């Protein structure tokens, strides 16, 4: 049994279902002791963990790790192997986790050549700075000690091959219907989106992610689950860690769910105004700047009373 492994969180993986907007698993790394005093030390991936914390601890971890933009591409300061994280986290914005594992085993998936078997989080080390995580040399010494202990204490099991075991009947598992199959049953009512691909990142308090996806299909659009490639836009009801990761990539417009609701109400593809977007990519930002001033006031269109209140609010200086 290996415990007291103080490893740094360097990457994350988004969850599924209720945790789809949160990082639920984390890539862990050790410090290359030869670079400890460098401005940007080098880290080596050693494993991933996804258990041992409470729901509140998971939420707190996500809040802390989202202090800086998440990176989609693997940074130069991190050495990895075949296992890649979905997003990467700057060391100075990260946290050390105390990990307990059953054993250290050989693995080509991580940069150190080993990984942890059955890892779980024992403690979030808020008392330690990010440079105080376990080093590569310390990890190898622990592995040697663990390997020696396992070699001398492993029990011998004798298996009676003549004895037949009674096989338990496997339980029936009811799989949740996949989004693609669910959406295939929905018919397009109007051709507003004209086949444009939209990714719904999350829902609102009044409209779930599934109901917003249904709206897209009913308006003649196509729903994709991953915000990658040349899709039309992403839509979200609230800004989460996953949304911030999409924004940090900088290649996709992220619209508010309210814009989609108004498209359904008006039965037309509404042109964006600045207040419709949480994030605008460079080309969209340039196009909007030709039609709106920095407060969001249109150069050519009349505004409603609600829009006027919002514009005036943007003009007021913020008191610090």
């Amino acid at each position: 049994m290996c415990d007291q492994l103080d490893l740094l969180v360097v990457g994350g993986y988004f969850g599924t279902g209720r945790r789809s907007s949160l990082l639920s698993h984390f890539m862990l790394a050790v410090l290359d002791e030869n670079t400890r005093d460098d401005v940007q030390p080098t880290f080596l991936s050693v494993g991933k963990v996804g258990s041992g914390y409470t729901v509140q601890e998971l939420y707190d971890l996500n809040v802390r790790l989202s202090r800086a933009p998440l990176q989609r591409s693997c940074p130069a300061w991190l050495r990895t192997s075949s296992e890649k994280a979905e997003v990467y986290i700057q060391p100075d914005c990260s946290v050390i986790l105390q990990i307990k594992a059953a054993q250290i085993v050989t693995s080509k998936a991580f940069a150190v050549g080993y990984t942890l078997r059955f890892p779980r989080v024992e403690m979030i080390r808020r008392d330690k700075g990010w440079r105080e995580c376990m080093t590569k040399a310390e990890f190898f010494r622990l592995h040697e000690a663990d390997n020696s202990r396992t070699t001398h204490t492993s029990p011998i099991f004798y298996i009676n091959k003549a004895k037949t075991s009674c096989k338990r009947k496997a339980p029936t598992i009811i799989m949740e219907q996949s989004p693609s199959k669910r959406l295939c049953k929905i018919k397009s009512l109007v051709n507003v989106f004209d086949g444009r691909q939209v990714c719904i990142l999350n829902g609102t308090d009044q409209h779930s992610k599934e109901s917003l996806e249904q709206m897209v299909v009913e308006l003649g659009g196509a729903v994709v689950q991953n915000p990658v490639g040349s899709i039309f836009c992403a839509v979200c009801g609230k800004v989460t860690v996953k949304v911030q990761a999409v924004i940090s990539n900088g290649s996709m417009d992220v619209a508010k769910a309210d814009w989609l609701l108004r498209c359904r109400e008006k039965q037309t593809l509404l042109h964006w105004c600045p207040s419709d977007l949480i994030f605008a990519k460079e080309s969209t930002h340039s196009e909007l700047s030709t039609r709106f001033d920095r407060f969001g006031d249109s150069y050519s269109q009349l505004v409603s009373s609600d829009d006027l209140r919002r514009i005036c609010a943007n003009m007021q200086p913020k008191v610090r």
Side-chain angles (χ1 to χ4, degrees):
M1 183 70 69
C2 303
D3 51 12
Q4 299 293 331
L5 286 87
D6 291 336
L7 305 175
L8 185 70
V9 174
V10 292
Y13 307 80
F14 290 106
T16 57
R18 293 183 178 180
R19 293 185 177 182
S20 61
S21 61
L22 294 175
L23 296 175
S24 63
H25 290 66
F26 304 96
M27 176 177 279
L28 306 170
V30 293
L31 172 68
D32 182 350
E33 61 275 4
N34 297 323
T35 65
R36 183 191 290 273
D37 297 327
D38 293 355
V39 176
Q40 180 58 78
T42 300
F43 294 85
L44 297 90
S45 65
V46 70
K48 57 188 289 189
V49 66
S51 63
Y53 37 69
T54 65
V55 174
Q56 184 60 48
E57 286 174 333
L58 179 62
Y59 176 78
D60 293 342
L61 269 175
N62 274 264
V63 171
R64 177 163 183 171
L65 297 176
S66 62
R67 292 181 300 175
L70 303 176
Q71 298 175 242
R72 282 285 181 179
S73 57
C74 186
W77 49 262
L78 177 63
R79 295 180 187 172
T80 61
S81 187
S82 59
E83 177 67 33
K84 308 294 183 184
E86 291 184 38
V87 292
Y88 296 92
I89 300 152
Q90 277 293 121
D92 56 350
C93 296
S94 189
V95 64
I96 292 175
L97 300 180
Q98 181 178 307
I99 303 297
K100 186 174 184 178
Q103 192 179 3
I104 297 175
V105 295
T106 304
S107 173
K108 295 181 180 179
F110 298 95
V112 294
Y114 297 90
T115 192
L116 307 175
R117 188 181 182 200
F118 306 133
R120 60 182 289 108
V121 177
E122 287 287 291
M123 184 189 305
I124 301 174
R125 297 301 303 266
R126 297 182 176 88
D127 58 319
K128 282 194 169 187
W130 60 276
R131 289 179 184 266
E132 299 177 78
C133 71
M134 175 176 277
T135 65
K136 179 178 65 174
E138 291 170 341
F139 179 82
F140 284 145
R141 284 197 295 269
L142 180 64
H143 167 58
E144 291 174 2
D146 178 64
N147 191 47
S148 175
R149 184 168 58 250
T150 304
T151 302
H152 289 89
T153 61
S154 295
I156 300 175
F157 295 94
Y158 295 94
I159 302 174
N160 185 359
K161 294 184 179 180
K163 185 177 180 180
T164 58
S165 59
C166 180
K167 293 185 178 180
R168 183 182 299 175
K169 185 178 179 181
T172 302
I173 300 175
I174 301 175
M175 299 296 291
E176 184 180 356
Q177 192 175 39
S178 66
S180 58
K181 291 183 179 180
R182 171 174 52 82
L183 295 172
C184 282
K185 297 179 180 180
I186 302 172
K187 294 183 178 180
S188 174
L189 303 179
V190 289
N191 194 22
V192 170
F193 282 102
D194 194 23
R196 291 178 173 86
Q197 293 182 328
V198 178
C199 178
I200 305 296
L201 298 174
N202 55 52
T204 67
D205 293 337
Q206 293 77 28
H207 300 277
S208 66
K209 178 178 183 291
E210 290 74 17
S211 65
L212 294 179
E213 289 177 337
Q214 180 174 335
M215 290 181 199
V216 172
V217 176
E218 290 175 346
L219 292 173
V223 172
V224 296
Q225 296 301 321
N226 295 315
V228 294
S230 56
I231 69 173
F232 177 60
C233 72
V235 174
C236 71
K238 47 187 175 290
V239 178
T240 61
V241 175
K242 185 174 183 178
V243 174
Q244 288 178 338
V246 174
I247 291 173
S248 65
N249 192 35
S251 61
M252 187 174 304
D253 295 314
V254 181
K256 298 177 182 178
D258 180 64
W259 168 80
L260 177 59
L261 296 173
R262 288 190 290 109
C263 286
R264 184 187 63 168
E265 180 185 355
K266 302 292 185 181
Q267 295 287 287
T268 187
L269 181 60
L270 298 174
H271 293 292
W272 283 322
C273 63
S275 61
D276 291 329
L277 296 171
I278 293 175
F279 174 79
K281 60 186 180 182
E282 187 175 351
S283 59
T284 304
H285 185 272
S286 299
E287 191 272 331
L288 288 174
S289 65
T290 64
R291 297 191 291 117
F292 298 88
D293 64 16
R294 63 192 181 94
F295 300 110
D297 188 12
S298 174
Y299 293 130
S300 58
Q301 295 179 346
L302 297 175
V303 296
S304 65
S305 57
D306 290 337
D307 289 335
L308 186 59
R309 291 190 190 95
R310 176 184 50 77
I311 293 168
C312 291
N314 290 338
M315 292 180 178
Q316 295 177 1
K318 296 181 180 179
V319 180
R320 295 184 178 180

